[in-house]
Amino acid sequence: MTGRTFFGHPWGLATLFGTEMWERFSWYGLRAILATFLAASPVQHGLGLSDETAQAVVGVYGALIYLVALPGGWIADRILGPRRSVFWGGFVIMLGHISMAVPVSSPFFVWLGLLLIIAGTGLLKPNISVMVGRLYPEEDDGRRDAGFSLFYLGINLGAFFAPIVVGWLANGDRWHLGFGAAAVGMALGLIQYVWGGHNLRGIGERPVHVEHRRFWPVAGIAAAATAIALGAWAATGTLTIDRLTVAITVVILVVPVAYFSYILLGSHDLTEDERIRMKAYIWLFVAASVFWMLYDLAPSKLLFFARDHTELSLFGIPIQPATTQSFNPLFIMIFVPVFAALWVKLGTRVSTPQKFGFALVMVGLSFVVMAVAAALAGPRKVSVWWLVLVYLIQVFGELSLSPVGLSVTAKLAPEAFKGQMLGVWFIAVSVGDAVGGQTGRLGRVLSDPMYYLVLAAMAVVAGLALFMFTRKLRGMMAEHHESVIR
């Protein structure tokens, strides 16, 4: 390779690495304090929501972030092109954080900010990954995989430092200072993206398929219908934030049901083998949704536990509740190479259903640990090392499920749905986040230890079911070998 390189890769990777690192800084920084801000009283400059409602809001917020990746990819492919989609997505994200940083008591700017961040992330997140892939020749699979590994390092660096910095700034009810730091992070990412744009060598400048006519009428009708429905609901006097989260969760649950029904019940010239593989994939989709349902309670239920029931000190150094959100990306950076080497060594001896089953058992076990910690907490606080152990166990699960998710999705997708199905994997995360947010309602009838045990039982039972039916699923998947992609 001639010219300047970034650890032996095209210098354009440095531009995308920095952009994604700062975007993830803004995303994880906001996520680390959002639930506690929503639940803080107005005296503490928060919104005064109950912990249960705050958990539901964080759940649907995360769910919508993953759901809008589908239309975001479509807009890039047909209207803006990936390069402009990433820029405008980052710009809208920055506006969202600025909106949340406005130091006024009205919640309007908070909800506006969250909507802007959701819309912007839908444009940026799926398309920046596309541009990373296009930096390499089609046949250069090895270097492309290595490039993505560096790219994911940027993601986790941003995710690690954000909760520490933003949590420290937001301490003392300075929430809007924390939101402002997230806005600055996204602004730095945009500056890096524009400054280094010439290194991208024209990649992603044009959409793959130009299609403007249908988009704007459909988008306008959808926006108008949503506004009318919400207005009519508000007019009845029954619209509340809590009920709105339930309605959004129901809509999100309908999406995969409708999509899989469309694939399996329509003709689409699917072969019998493709239908069988699709049925196997539904099992894995449900398993992944259960996994994310527990795993993505980190920025809500587990954050509240850190706030209320833990001694916030590591090695004698005081930390903020938000800092506990840095444990996960730290462990990911440590163990990614370990698990990558492990899967290569094990080869075909461990199947995809077994990896998914192990992930579910691990996330279930982490909640057994949480149940013990919650029982010990009672009237006193427990060591923050309980949460360290929980996140360590969860990362073992994530590295068994997340890296192979897109790979198995591409493998099992019918030929007619190859492009669309890659977005379906993110719907599993969306479903898990939305349902996980609603599990806070179990607190009305269950103690905290029982809450964690009930969710742990769900995950472990689902994991054991995958182990029991591994042979059948492998037959349906026609699985003989697979490559692990991170």
Side-chain angles (χ1 to χ4, degrees):
M1 177 181 294
T2 59
R4 191 167 55 158
T5 63
F6 180 65
F7 294 103
H9 293 268
W11 193 257
L13 182 62
T15 298
L16 300 178
F17 175 98
T19 304
E20 179 71 351
M21 181 184 71
W22 284 113
E23 186 275 330
R24 289 292 88 182
F25 177 93
S26 71
W27 157 251
Y28 282 102
L30 168 64
R31 199 176 91 136
I33 64 172
L34 180 59
T36 44
F37 163 73
L38 294 173
S41 70
V43 174
Q44 299 172 302
H45 308 294
L47 291 196
L49 304 181
S50 67
D51 285 2
E52 174 188 304
T53 301
Q55 179 176 334
V57 170
V58 172
V60 297
Y61 167 66
L64 290 172
I65 286 286
Y66 285 99
L67 193 65
V68 296
L70 290 176
W74 189 93
I75 290 171
D77 283 345
R78 290 167 171 80
I79 299 176
L80 293 177
R83 187 163 173 178
R84 282 190 295 169
S85 294
V86 169
F87 173 79
W88 287 112
F91 185 74
V92 172
I93 291 170
M94 183 183 69
L95 293 180
H97 288 298
I98 291 172
S99 178
M100 296 191 69
V102 175
V104 296
S105 57
S106 170
F108 170 79
F109 289 101
V110 173
W111 303 124
L112 174 63
L114 291 178
L115 286 174
L116 289 172
I117 293 167
I118 290 168
T121 306
L123 280 175
L124 185 147
K125 187 61 179 166
N127 295 307
I128 196 167
S129 297
V130 168
M131 293 178 68
V132 172
R134 292 184 183 177
L135 289 172
Y136 302 89
E138 191 69 30
E139 68 280 1
D140 200 355
D141 291 339
R143 291 184 63 252
R144 185 185 299 107
D145 287 349
F148 268 108
S149 295
L150 272 175
F151 182 69
Y152 287 129
L153 174 62
I155 291 174
N156 286 295
L157 282 174
F160 172 72
F161 286 109
I164 299 172
V165 174
V166 173
W168 175 72
L169 289 172
N171 184 37
D173 305 329
R174 298 174 301 188
W175 308 106
H176 297 291
L177 193 57
F179 298 144
V184 170
M186 191 65 256
L188 291 173
L190 281 174
I191 291 170
Q192 163 114 15
Y193 186 66
V194 174
W195 186 271
H198 63 280
N199 296 310
L200 298 175
R201 302 175 307 195
I203 290 170
E205 285 188 347
R206 297 182 181 278
V208 178
H209 309 287
V210 178
E211 186 175 345
H212 293 269
R213 297 178 186 174
R214 289 172 49 193
F215 173 74
W216 295 114
V218 171
I221 292 171
T226 302
I228 291 170
L230 288 175
W233 190 0
T236 66
T238 60
L239 175 60
T240 65
I241 294 171
D242 201 45
R243 288 171 179 165
L244 181 60
T245 65
V246 174
I248 294 172
T249 299
V250 171
V251 171
I252 290 171
L253 286 171
V254 167
V255 170
V257 172
Y259 192 81
F260 287 129
S261 298
Y262 171 71
I263 293 176
L264 291 175
L265 299 180
S267 61
H268 311 300
D269 296 323
L270 265 61
T271 66
E272 187 60 29
D273 285 345
E274 286 179 326
R275 290 185 184 277
I276 292 172
R277 287 197 296 269
M278 197 72 251
K279 291 175 182 177
Y281 181 75
I282 292 174
W283 278 66
L284 300 178
F285 180 93
V286 173
S289 298
V290 173
F291 176 85
W292 296 116
M293 180 181 73
L294 276 68
Y295 188 86
D296 277 350
L297 288 176
S300 55
K301 187 70 175 178
L302 271 60
L303 182 61
F304 291 142
F305 184 85
R307 178 196 64 187
D308 298 332
H309 300 298
T310 60
E311 296 285 352
L312 291 169
S313 174
L314 278 173
F315 305 108
I317 302 172
I319 63 172
Q320 302 302 319
T323 305
T324 60
Q325 301 296 290
S326 292
F327 300 159
N328 173 277
L330 175 63
F331 288 137
I332 288 177
M333 287 187 286
I334 292 172
F335 287 103
V336 158
V338 175
F339 271 75
L342 177 65
W343 297 140
V344 171
K345 184 174 182 179
L346 291 174
T348 59
R349 286 175 289 174
V350 179
S351 67
T352 299
Q354 288 171 323
K355 291 175 183 176
F356 275 51
F358 176 78
L360 284 163
V361 171
M362 285 295 99
V363 79
L365 179 59
S366 76
F367 267 45
V368 172
V369 174
M370 277 303 305
V372 175
L376 291 175
R380 61 187 180 88
K381 293 187 175 183
V382 298
S383 169
V384 75
W385 288 102
W386 283 97
L387 283 176
V388 173
L389 177 59
V390 167
Y391 285 118
L392 176 63
I393 297 171
Q394 287 189 355
V395 163
F396 291 162
E398 187 200 0
L399 294 179
S400 303
L401 178 142
S402 185
V404 297
L406 284 173
S407 177
V408 75
T409 299
K411 177 181 176 181
L412 299 181
E415 196 60 39
F417 294 91
K418 282 285 185 187
Q420 301 174 43
M421 279 293 293
L422 291 176
V424 173
W425 171 249
F426 295 109
I427 298 180
V429 187
S430 184
V431 169
D433 282 10
V435 175
Q438 297 300 325
T439 61
R441 302 176 191 280
L442 294 174
R444 298 173 182 174
V445 294
L446 297 175
S447 65
D448 270 2
M450 282 305 300
Y451 168 87
Y452 292 118
L453 285 176
V454 167
L455 293 186
M458 291 175 61
V460 170
V461 168
L464 294 178
L466 284 181
F467 282 123
M468 289 174 58
F469 292 98
T470 290
R471 179 172 294 183
K472 180 177 178 64
L473 285 171
R474 290 196 76 170
M476 294 172 70
M477 295 165 60
E479 181 179 76
H480 300 292
H481 67 277
E482 65 180 28
S483 60
V484 177
I485 299 175
R486 173 67 184 171

